[in-house]
């Protein structure tokens, strides 16, 4: 639809009832254009569809009514209680409302205000309603035109009153009035045809865009609201997935990958020699990876699995597959210590088939280093393990085919950049030990393929977790002494107090001194973020070798160090940690054959729900889902982060199905028409550009 000036794209200033001053205030809500006003939807509603007619109220009723204030004032009872009174009227009659002890309402409630009140009706010189709650629905001088001044919510005329996010100098009612005055014109400017095919809307039971926006701003009944929200949520998720899908397709088109196909002369003997059978989840992930590697497009896959779920075996299989096809494979770890640890476990796993990966870290120097480098350059070194930095910057491979990236922490923007720039056509497999809910993973990493090991190898003894108040500290520290006396090792984790590393280091140091006095027979080590990297390493080595029995640490130990003899962890002020972090911490114990224990201390009278959940399960995915539920996505996903935009309408726990659907449809479209050039996809491309125009780079990964 063509017009001289578009209300949708033009400044909000020119809309009815706005003007420069209000436009300035609207801008604080990030509303600059008509379209942005249209998408500024209410955050809640006052549902007045079930109000009682005033005439019918009887003493003893619990009533909800809407009426306009016809008179008001403050009276004083004999006992000197000041009571605010207001008489309100609807089409059927009048009733007096009384707010004992709240005389200040005199200043906020005015004659002519339309009030929604609810509370008990009693008999007191006639019928009187004592509101438990009241809401002002409209005030005559909010309005910019006569139509909206009266009664219901303007054009819709319904009895569900939207409440908008507001800002200083602009009340939610004023925003409602502005929306009411302009909604029809704005909706009329939207294209007649919905951007989504009618079949989609039918299959997903979603209303068309115009209907949805109209329902959100002016619902006639509350039941209209949720489908309308879902429609906007789908739209939001779909375009984000479309963005991801295009990034993925672009990578695939531009980069010729390697198709690893060869007789399984390494993988097969390796599997035969394993002292255990792969779990179902490992088999599934291995099949997914194998299929990716055989395709000629480069693999870009995230392998997610809890600590101890057996990612290393799967990674080893992938590395062997690359090797048997005549390519080299490298595993990169974030620290030297982790690289060494990976090297050790790979050596053990690969020993039966007589393969030995080359280790390359900063401490490998001199002649040894020269040997490693030349074997990798010549291709005789088929497998390598090293730190990220070394492998990326300093090493020449004869024919690198696969990079396995171990990212113990949350897989971040940096890694994605590396994957993008990493290497023309090299397959990339990223391992993450941070379980995140699938919905979150899809939203964050929609451009990657994801494999999840959601099953632990059989026979693991779950860590026994206790949640204890301050009064039980003594007993817990005695228990720790018993464990240490039996030859085990332990951790005491000291929390981040106020984001200050200095204070934290000081607190942890004091704790170490205290514990050293308490346990004179044991070696107590200290690990915190203020230590130099070399100091940290030497402490960790002391702990690994068993010279240090007890390690007092801040959260720096989160990063995946594996000390099988450590069987007990005490976490101070555990209520300060999020569930995901607690889970990561606890994963440091329970890695050996002994029964392991974790004690989480809290301050206060009773443990927060989070800690109860924490002690009830050791399944990282269950905890991650709970974390999402308890914290809400706002915390994890509210702001632009991880290189993805914030979600406004979608709620990841509720809309998971919608998200899966959005992803599937986005990928289907892009598979057929990567440039969105076909007539029926052009509109989607235009919308995408409008949403992310110029910022695609920011969110693009692949
Ligand atoms: P992750 O890297 O996911 O933390 P690992 O690969 O280090 O886990 O595996 C943890 C331990 O479990 C290792 O000792 C490994 O040998 C063992 N393991 C792996 N897969 C299985 C399996 N399917 N059955 C039994 N033990 C397994
Ligand atoms: Mg491939």
């Amino acid at each position: 639809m063509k017009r001289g000036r578009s209300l949708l794209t033009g400044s909000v200033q020119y809309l009815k009832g706005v003007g420069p001053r209000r436009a300035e205030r609207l801008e604080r809500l990030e509303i600059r254009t008509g379209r942005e006003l249209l998408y500024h939807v209410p955050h809640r509603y006052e549902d007045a569809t079930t109000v009682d007619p005033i005439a019918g109220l009887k003493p003893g009723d619990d009533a909800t009514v809407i009426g306009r204030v016809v008179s008001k004032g403050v009276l004083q009872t004999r006992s000197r209680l000041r009571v605010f009174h207001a008489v309100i009227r609807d089409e059927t009659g009048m009733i007096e409302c009384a707010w004992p002890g709240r005389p200040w309402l005199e200043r906020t409630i005015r004659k002519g205000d339309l009030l929604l009140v609810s509370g008990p009706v009693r008999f007191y010189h006639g019928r009187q309603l004592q509101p438990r709650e009241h809401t002002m629905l409209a005030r005559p001088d909010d309005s910019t035109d006569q139509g909206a001044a009266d009664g219901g919510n303007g054009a819709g005329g319904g009895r569900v009153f939207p409440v908008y996010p507001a800002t200083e100098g602009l009340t939610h009612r004023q925003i409602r009035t502005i929306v009411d005055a302009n909604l029809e014109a704005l909706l009329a400017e939207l294209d007649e045809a919905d951007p989504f095919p009618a079949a989609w809307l039918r299959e997903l039971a979603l209303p068309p865009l115009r209907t949805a926006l109209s329902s959100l701003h002016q619902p006639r009944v509350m039941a209209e609201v949720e489908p309308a929200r879902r429609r906007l949520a789908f739209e939001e998720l779909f375009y984000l997935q479309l963005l991801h899908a295009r990034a993925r397709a672009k990578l695939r088109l531009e980069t010729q990958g390697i198709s690893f196909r060869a007789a399984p002369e390494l993988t097969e003997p390796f599997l035969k020699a394993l002292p255990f059978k792969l779990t179902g989840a490992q088999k599934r992930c291995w099949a997914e990876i194998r299929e990716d590697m055989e395709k000629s497009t480069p693999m870009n896959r995230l392998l997610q699995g809890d600590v101890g779920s057996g990612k290393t075996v799967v990674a080893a299989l992938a590395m062997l597959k690359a090797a048997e096809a005549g390519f080299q494979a490298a595993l990169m770890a974030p620290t030297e210590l982790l690289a060494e640890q990976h090297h050790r476990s790979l050596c053990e796993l690969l020993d039966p088939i007589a393969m030995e990966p080359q280790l390359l870290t900063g401490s490998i120097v001199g002649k040894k280093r020269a040997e490693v480098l030349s074997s990798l350059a010549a291709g005789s070194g088929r497998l390598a393990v090293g730190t990220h930095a070394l492998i990326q910057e300093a090493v020449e491979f004869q024919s690198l085919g696969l990079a396995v990236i171990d990212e113990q922490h949350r897989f971040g923007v940096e890694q994605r950049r590396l994957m993008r720039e990493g290497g023309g056509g090299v397959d990339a497999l990223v391992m993450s030990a941070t379980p995140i809910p699938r919905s979150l993973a899809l939203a964050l990493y929609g451009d990657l393929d994801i494999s999840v090991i959601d099953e632990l190898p059989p026979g693991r003894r779950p860590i026994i977790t206790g949640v204890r108040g301050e009064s039980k500290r003594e007993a817990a520290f005695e228990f720790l002494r018993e464990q240490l006396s039996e030859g085990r090792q332990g951790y005491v984790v000291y929390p981040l107090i106020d984001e200050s590393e200095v204070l934290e280091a000081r607190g942890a140091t004091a704790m170490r001194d205290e514990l050293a006095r308490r346990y004179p027979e044991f070696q107590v080590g200290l690990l915190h973020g203020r230590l130099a990297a070399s100091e940290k390493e030497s402490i960790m080595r002391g702990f690994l070798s068993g010279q240090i029995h007890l390690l007092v640490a801040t959260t720096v130990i989160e990063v995946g160090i594996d000390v099988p003899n450590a069987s007990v962890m005490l976490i101070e002020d555990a209520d300060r940690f999020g569930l995901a972090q607690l889970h990561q911490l606890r994963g440091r114990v329970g890695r050996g054959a002994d029964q392991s224990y974790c004690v989480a201390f809290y301050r206060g009278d009773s443990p927060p729900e989070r800690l109860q959940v924490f002690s009830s399960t050791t399944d990282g995915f269950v905890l991650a889902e709970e974390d999402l539920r308890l914290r809400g996505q706002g915390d994890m996903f509210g702001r632009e982060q991880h290189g993805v935009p914030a979600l406004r309408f979608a709620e990841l726990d509720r809309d998971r199905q919608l998200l899966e659907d959005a992803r599937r449809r986005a990928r289907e479209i892009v598979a057929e028409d990567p440039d969105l050039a076909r007539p029926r996809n052009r509109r989607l491309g235009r919308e995408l550009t409008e949403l992310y125009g110029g910022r695609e780079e920011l969110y693009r990964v692949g």
Side-chain angles (χ1 to χ4, degrees):
M1 190 175 299
K2 296 279 164 275
R3 295 202 175 179
R5 195 182 69 210
S6 159
L7 296 177
L8 280 174
T9 56
S11 163
V12 75
Q13 178 181 339
Y14 304 112
L15 295 183
K16 266 192 228 160
V18 183
R21 236 168 58 117
R22 282 185 163 179
E24 225 169 79
R25 293 180 178 161
L26 284 168
E27 185 162 355
R28 277 190 241 142
L29 296 164
E30 300 192 13
I31 303 171
R32 283 157 300 243
T33 64
R35 180 186 288 271
E36 284 168 341
L37 181 68
L38 208 46
Y39 277 82
H40 185 71
V41 305
H43 57 88
R44 66 187 175 85
Y45 298 85
E46 298 289 349
D47 185 4
T49 45
T50 55
V51 293
D52 307 303
I54 289 178
L57 300 183
K58 298 182 303 295
D61 286 350
D62 199 86
T64 299
V65 303
I66 291 183
R68 206 168 272 289
V69 176
V70 293
S71 69
K72 60 164 196 164
V74 174
L75 299 175
Q76 192 158 332
T77 64
R78 257 168 299 171
S79 56
R80 303 195 149 263
L81 180 66
R82 280 149 58 81
V83 182
F84 175 69
H85 287 257
V87 174
I88 62 170
R89 175 165 65 196
D90 71 3
E91 316 81 78
T92 68
M94 294 198 275
I95 191 166
E96 182 182 61
C97 301
W99 284 264
R102 305 179 66 187
W104 60 84
L105 287 175
E106 169 73 7
R107 289 196 299 275
T108 55
I109 293 181
R110 297 193 206 155
K111 219 170 129 175
D113 285 353
L114 188 69
L115 296 186
L116 169 69
V117 296
S118 58
V121 181
R122 9 173 258 164
F123 190 82
Y124 186 82
H125 307 302
R127 296 177 310 164
Q128 189 186 66
L129 198 154
Q130 277 201 1
R132 260 191 317 275
E133 288 173 64
H134 72 274
T135 310
M136 191 202 314
L137 298 174
R139 166 167 288 169
D141 61 10
D142 285 338
S143 56
T144 49
D145 64 319
Q146 286 307 306
D150 193 45
N153 56 350
R159 307 219 105 188
V160 177
F161 292 83
V163 181
Y164 289 91
T167 181
E168 209 184 309
L170 198 60
T171 67
H172 73 84
R173 294 185 313 275
Q174 288 167 322
I175 295 174
R176 186 201 300 156
T177 309
I178 294 170
V179 171
D180 283 347
N182 294 285
L183 186 62
E184 212 172 318
L186 287 170
L187 290 178
E189 246 190 56
L190 286 176
D191 265 339
E192 196 91 44
D194 199 272
F196 294 140
W200 289 17
L201 300 185
R202 233 181 6 257
E203 285 155 22
L204 295 163
L206 295 174
L209 183 58
R210 276 193 195 184
T211 314
L213 286 167
S214 158
S215 299
L216 282 170
H217 289 292
Q218 297 180 340
R220 279 157 309 190
V221 290
M222 271 311 283
E224 284 179 19
V225 171
E226 175 57 11
R229 184 200 65 82
R230 275 170 48 86
R231 157 70 209 224
L232 294 199
F234 177 75
E235 183 170 303
E236 179 171 65
L237 294 169
F238 173 78
Y239 287 116
L240 187 56
Q241 293 299 321
L242 192 60
L243 190 71
H244 284 324
R246 292 194 67 195
R248 181 169 171 269
K250 194 159 185 292
L251 178 78
R252 294 173 160 235
L253 287 176
E254 285 174 1
T255 336
Q256 178 62 41
I258 304 157
S259 170
F260 298 90
R261 283 171 199 266
E265 58 189 29
L266 294 172
T267 46
E268 200 122 288
F270 172 76
L271 280 170
K272 284 220 179 80
L274 273 183
F276 45 73
K277 284 215 286 280
L278 294 187
T279 62
Q282 281 171 317
K283 277 190 202 144
R284 176 169 36 76
C285 292
W286 167 227
E288 287 164 359
I289 290 167
R290 205 169 45 213
E291 194 179 314
D292 272 9
M293 289 183 70
E294 285 173 10
K295 284 184 192 153
S296 63
T297 47
M299 169 164 76
N300 225 353
R301 185 170 284 277
L302 180 64
L303 176 64
Q304 246 200 329
D306 224 329
V307 164
S309 60
K311 293 182 292 297
T312 313
V313 182
V314 176
L317 279 162
M319 293 173 83
L320 291 175
K321 183 167 178 66
E324 69 199 6
F327 289 86
Q328 291 166 295
L331 191 160
M332 313 182 212
T335 66
E336 287 214 354
L337 222 51
L338 285 169
E340 288 170 20
Q341 191 172 291
H342 275 303
H343 184 248
R344 257 196 315 278
S345 33
L346 281 178
C347 283
E348 226 170 273
L349 281 169
L350 298 175
D351 185 57
I353 58 164
M355 292 279 289
E356 190 179 336
Q358 306 279 341
L359 176 65
L360 192 61
T361 66
S363 357
I364 308 253
V365 290
K367 189 153 154 276
K368 179 70 193 156
R369 184 180 192 83
E371 272 172 33
V372 172
L373 288 176
S374 73
S375 83
L376 294 178
S380 55
R382 296 160 89 185
L383 308 178
V385 179
T387 48
H388 292 171
L390 272 174
I391 295 216
Q392 267 147 17
E393 286 156 22
V395 184
E396 194 190 316
F397 287 91
Q398 193 234 0
S399 57
L400 185 65
L402 169 73
V404 179
I405 304 161
D406 176 30
E407 177 51 41
Q408 292 286 339
H409 271 304
R410 173 156 291 186
F411 173 59
V413 177
E414 184 61 9
Q415 278 63 43
R416 325 176 101 214
R417 193 183 59 76
L418 288 175
M419 284 177 77
R420 176 163 82 234
E421 296 169 359
V426 171
D427 275 15
L429 180 68
V430 177
M431 298 196 284
S432 165
T434 310
I436 57 174
R438 179 164 167 83
S439 54
L440 199 60
L442 288 186
L444 291 175
Y445 315 128
D447 55 323
L448 301 182
D449 298 295
I450 302 174
S451 293
V452 180
I453 310 188
D454 51 5
E455 178 186 354
L456 289 184
R460 289 284 163 80
R461 283 201 228 181
I463 300 162
I464 296 176
T465 302
V467 175
R468 300 283 184 267
E470 287 296 299
S471 64
K472 300 284 169 55
R473 284 175 66 85
E474 246 340 272
F477 278 94
E478 275 316 296
F479 176 71
L480 173 59
R481 184 198 297 279
E482 284 165 29
Q483 289 285 307
L484 297 178
S485 305
E486 286 173 25
R488 308 279 126 68
Q489 288 166 281
Y491 299 94
V492 174
V493 181
Y494 196 84
L496 193 75
I497 296 293
D498 58 358
E499 311 286 321
S500 151
E501 273 196 347
V502 179
L503 280 182
E504 186 188 32
R506 215 180 281 158
T509 309
M511 170 68 75
R512 192 271 314 269
D513 295 345
E514 187 194 319
L515 292 177
R517 278 194 300 275
R518 182 192 263 269
Y519 307 119
E521 68 275 40
F522 300 117
Q523 280 302 318
V524 184
L526 173 65
L527 197 68
H528 60 70
R530 301 281 290 178
L531 297 178
S534 60
E535 266 178 285
K536 272 188 221 163
E537 268 209 46
S538 95
I539 302 273
M540 270 325 293
R541 284 186 202 285
F543 193 62
L544 266 164
S545 70
Q547 276 169 314
I548 293 175
H549 306 108
L550 179 61
L551 194 59
V552 175
T554 58
T555 50
V556 291
I557 53 153
E558 248 188 299
V559 182
I561 280 299
D562 190 359
V563 182
N565 189 45
S567 66
V568 54
M569 171 176 285
L570 307 189
I571 306 176
E572 293 278 351
D573 290 323
D575 41 328
R576 290 174 191 267
F577 293 108
L579 262 180
Q581 203 179 14
L582 286 168
H583 177 67
Q584 289 285 306
L585 286 170
R586 180 170 57 184
R588 299 299 110 231
V589 295
R591 317 226 34 179
D594 296 308
Q595 176 64 55
S596 287
Y597 305 88
C598 175
V599 181
F601 292 118
Y602 62 90
R603 288 177 200 270
D605 301 332
S606 59
E609 185 184 357
R610 205 169 58 245
L611 290 187
Q612 295 174 17
V613 174
F614 175 59
S615 66
S616 70
T617 179
T618 50
D619 184 328
F621 286 96
V622 172
L623 288 171
E625 295 280 354
E626 274 301 302
D627 205 28
L628 183 61
R629 188 182 68 80
L630 288 172
R631 289 205 289 168
Q633 69 190 29
D635 208 32
M636 309 170 93
F637 210 62
R639 289 154 290 129
E640 268 183 30
Q641 52 181 336
H642 312 297
V644 238
L647 296 177
R648 294 176 55 202
F649 304 104
E651 294 170 24
L652 291 176
D653 45 351
R654 256 211 278 182
D655 295 329
R656 177 160 159 185
Q657 196 48 52
L658 220 47
L659 175 56
E660 302 266 6
D661 226 296
R663 172 164 150 125
R664 181 173 56 77
R665 285 170 203 265
R667 285 193 166 192
E668 275 168 16
I669 288 182
V670 169
E672 285 178 7
D673 183 14
D675 293 323
L676 305 177
R678 296 193 189 162
R680 67 187 144 96
N681 294 331
R682 260 183 229 153
R683 174 92 181 273
L684 298 175
R686 267 207 318 276
E687 298 274 336
L688 188 68
T689 312
E690 208 158 295
L691 276 169
Y692 293 105
R695 300 193 304 162
E696 283 206 27
E697 252 336 277
L698 204 60
Y699 301 122
R700 208 194 68 158
V701 271

